[in-house]
Amino acid sequence: MIDRRTLMGAGLALAAAPAFAQTAPVPASRRPAPGDRRFTSKAVEREIDRISKRIADPKLRWMFGNCYPNTLDTTVKMSMVDGAPDAFVITGDIPCLWLRDSSAQVKPYLHLAKQDAGLRTLYRGLIARQSRSILIDPYANAFMEDPSAKTNLSWALKDQTQMLPGVAERKWEVDSLCYPMRLAHGYWQATRDAAPFDARWAEAARLSIRTFREQQRKHDKGPYRFLRESNRPTETMMLDGYGAPSRPVGLIHSGFRPSDDACVFPFLIPANYFAVTALRELAVVAKAARGDAALAGEAVALADEVAAALREHATMRLRDGREVIAYEVDGIGNALFMDDANVPSLSSLAYLGCLDVSDPLWRRTAEAAWSEANPYWSRGRALEGIGGPHVGLGQVWPMSLIMRALSTRDATTIRACLKMLRDSDAGTGFIHEAADQDDPAKFTRDWFAWANGLFGELIVHLADTQPQLLSEPL
């Protein structure tokens, strides 16, 4: 049976193009023709022009022009549902909506929403679509466009779990419910538009909180289990689909990581940190946009409880004695140190606003994650960075380079990340899921909108905070 990993890996065979020569003329834009673009925004087009003028490196400028609008150009489908806007945002080469990916894909345009009515319609439509999706099944990570359709993902057809109509894949990931909270807060902060935060949104928010509480598993295993027929252990969950043993300590169980790989220990620490931050952000929206003090109180109470559990259980010591944040724990005393490029990760906790970039514990952890202490960090002839078990060893995810650059002001580090990002595209003009550390012409996923958007977000961030890094040759 072909699965999601196999589909992504097909990019390795398709991507055997020679690396882009830095002395060659910059090719034409790789964007679709204007008439073929799925969604257009005058504000985004102006932003592309504004930022492009600040980028001295011609290839970096070309890549930014391709990547920044990629979500709008290729992944958005607008329609109306019950007289209100609906936005279905696919992940790229898989025609389904991931709660995580769709939220992250549109984040780079939030600062433009106040000045662009079309973008506000897009955000209203996506927030509504995510709310309806959560109400179908809060344990699902991906959804079909047609809420009455059964999954057509070949790797999910025989999954042993409760597959309801509308669900594309049902891997329980804590971050799947965090990202819609983050999107709602980001939109509210950018626009002060209360329109998306209706009764349905509040119902989905309450269901999300209830699901988090179920997965604290204080009294029983809860309703979720998942088994998949696969020759890869990261595609299924042990012990009849409930996952590894744990002790209830107040943390939230996650069956899978944001990479869609199964957890080793069930308390995924980066996701629990993200849950604390996202719940507090949910409370802000509930109180300010709806005047719903009860919902805000539920969110804050759970955030406080998980935060207290993190203080008690989230750290471990490496063999050299350094105290760091663990990647996964079980509440019994076992802990795993590693990091995965997918967000939330240990390396991304400052970017996500979960910890301050100057926090000594986070800085030690991020340093260890970017070293041989992390089995999924590697350095090759072309690239250095973090990967993960999803596509194998020796594969650097450009996403990890973007997180590193977004989490520091050190010019040397940022410039090194920009160079590797520029040279990792194999001449395509886009950011890929993973690239071989020695030969970036071998990559996975030639259409991965989340990574393209993150790259665009990084360039906009640098243009506004450290413009000299873009105005100087790399």
Side-chain angles (χ1 to χ4, degrees):
M1 176 191 297
I2 189 170
D3 59 14
R4 187 175 186 226
R5 187 194 312 265
T6 305
L7 175 65
M8 294 173 182
L12 288 170
L14 296 173
F20 185 88
Q22 294 303 303
T23 58
V26 175
S29 171
R30 295 289 171 86
R31 298 180 65 185
D36 295 329
R37 295 171 188 170
R38 304 289 291 270
F39 187 97
T40 58
S41 161
K42 291 182 179 179
V44 170
E45 297 302 322
R46 289 193 297 268
E47 187 75 339
I48 294 170
D49 290 340
R50 181 180 77 89
I51 301 299
S52 294
K53 293 174 182 176
R54 303 186 178 195
I55 306 173
D57 186 275
K59 187 182 177 189
L60 200 68
R61 184 169 61 247
W62 173 64
M63 290 178 65
F64 172 74
N66 295 330
C67 292
Y68 185 62
N70 185 246
T71 285
L72 302 183
D73 285 351
T74 65
T75 71
V76 174
K77 183 176 181 180
M78 297 296 303
S79 61
M80 300 292 289
V81 173
D82 298 330
D86 171 67
F88 191 78
V89 180
I90 66 173
T91 186
D93 51 16
I94 306 172
C96 298
L97 179 144
W98 262 254
L99 292 175
R100 170 187 58 252
D101 292 39
S102 62
S103 301
Q105 284 168 234
V106 300
K107 180 181 181 293
Y109 318 121
L110 275 170
H111 67 293
L112 304 172
K114 190 172 184 178
Q115 60 182 279
D116 190 315
L119 279 177
R120 292 196 296 277
T121 299
L122 167 61
Y123 286 111
R124 290 172 184 170
L126 180 56
I127 290 169
R129 167 65 76 151
Q130 290 181 340
S131 296
R132 290 195 302 273
S133 298
I134 291 168
L135 290 171
I136 291 172
D137 184 359
Y139 285 104
N141 57 326
F143 294 86
M144 306 292 290
E145 181 179 355
D146 179 356
S148 66
K150 294 183 179 180
T151 184
N152 60 5
L153 299 180
S154 59
W155 55 86
L157 294 175
K158 297 182 180 180
D159 288 349
Q160 298 175 48
T161 189
Q162 186 182 19
M163 289 293 288
L164 297 172
V167 170
E169 186 173 58
R170 196 174 191 249
K171 288 183 170 179
W172 162 238
E173 301 162 5
V174 168
D175 68 279
S176 288
L177 295 182
C178 295
Y179 270 101
M181 298 177 190
R182 168 58 56 90
L183 176 62
H185 180 262
Y187 180 73
W188 170 252
Q189 293 295 103
T191 66
R192 291 300 193 266
D193 173 20
F197 307 115
D198 55 12
R200 179 175 53 208
W201 176 84
E203 184 182 0
R206 285 189 167 87
L207 179 57
S208 297
I209 294 171
R210 187 159 67 248
T211 302
F212 281 163
R213 287 207 172 276
E214 286 176 351
Q215 287 306 312
Q216 288 180 299
R217 300 192 187 182
K218 292 181 179 179
H219 308 295
D220 54 41
K221 294 178 180 178
Y224 177 78
R225 62 187 290 271
F226 181 97
L227 290 167
R228 170 172 290 175
E229 295 180 8
S230 176
N231 61 2
R232 298 182 176 92
T234 54
E235 287 296 307
T236 192
M237 292 175 63
M238 64 185 296
L239 294 181
D240 200 33
Y242 288 101
S246 66
R247 180 172 295 144
V249 294
L251 295 171
I252 305 167
H253 290 72
S254 194
F256 293 84
R257 302 166 178 170
S259 60
D260 299 336
D261 292 329
C263 294
V264 173
F265 297 129
F267 296 132
L268 179 58
I269 295 302
N272 274 264
Y273 269 107
F274 192 19
V276 171
T277 303
L279 284 164
R280 297 196 194 286
E281 292 174 343
L282 169 62
V284 170
V285 179
K287 189 172 182 179
R290 287 186 51 81
D292 193 336
L295 175 55
E298 288 181 50
V300 170
L302 179 54
D304 289 347
E305 185 177 334
V306 177
L310 284 167
R311 288 192 293 271
E312 184 73 20
H313 298 281
T315 60
M316 62 180 292
R317 290 197 179 273
L318 299 178
R319 290 187 64 186
D320 60 11
R322 283 180 293 171
E323 184 184 33
V324 295
I325 303 169
Y327 188 71
E328 292 171 355
V329 303
D330 62 5
I332 301 170
N334 298 299
L336 170 67
F337 185 79
M338 55 163 279
D339 205 19
D340 190 291
N342 285 265
V343 179
S345 60
L346 294 175
S347 301
S348 67
L349 289 177
Y351 163 78
L352 290 171
C354 303
L355 293 170
D356 191 88
V357 70
S358 63
D359 184 294
L361 175 61
W362 179 78
R363 291 178 68 88
R364 283 197 305 274
T365 303
E367 179 184 356
W370 203 269
S371 77
E372 292 181 349
N374 174 15
Y376 296 104
W377 173 87
S378 64
R379 176 189 290 146
R381 292 189 298 270
L383 299 174
E384 170 190 353
I386 297 170
H390 201 70
V391 295
L393 298 176
Q395 304 299 304
V396 172
W397 289 52
M399 191 177 294
S400 72
L401 298 167
I402 297 169
M403 285 298 106
R404 186 166 172 82
L406 281 168
S407 301
T408 183
R409 289 189 61 85
D410 180 71
T412 300
T413 299
I414 295 171
R415 193 173 288 112
C417 290
L418 288 175
K419 287 180 180 178
M420 286 189 285
L421 288 166
R422 180 195 64 187
D423 298 340
S424 71
D425 76 315
T428 67
F430 292 102
I431 303 296
H432 302 127
E433 178 195 55
D436 186 89
Q437 64 181 20
D438 296 318
D439 184 4
K442 299 176 181 177
F443 63 82
T444 61
R445 302 192 73 176
D446 56 1
W447 181 17
F448 188 28
W450 180 15
N452 287 327
L454 271 177
F455 173 74
E457 181 180 340
L458 169 63
I459 298 300
V460 172
H461 169 75
L462 293 176
D464 291 337
T465 60
Q466 293 179 269
Q468 73 281 1
L469 291 177
L470 298 179
S471 63
E472 300 169 352
L474 288 180

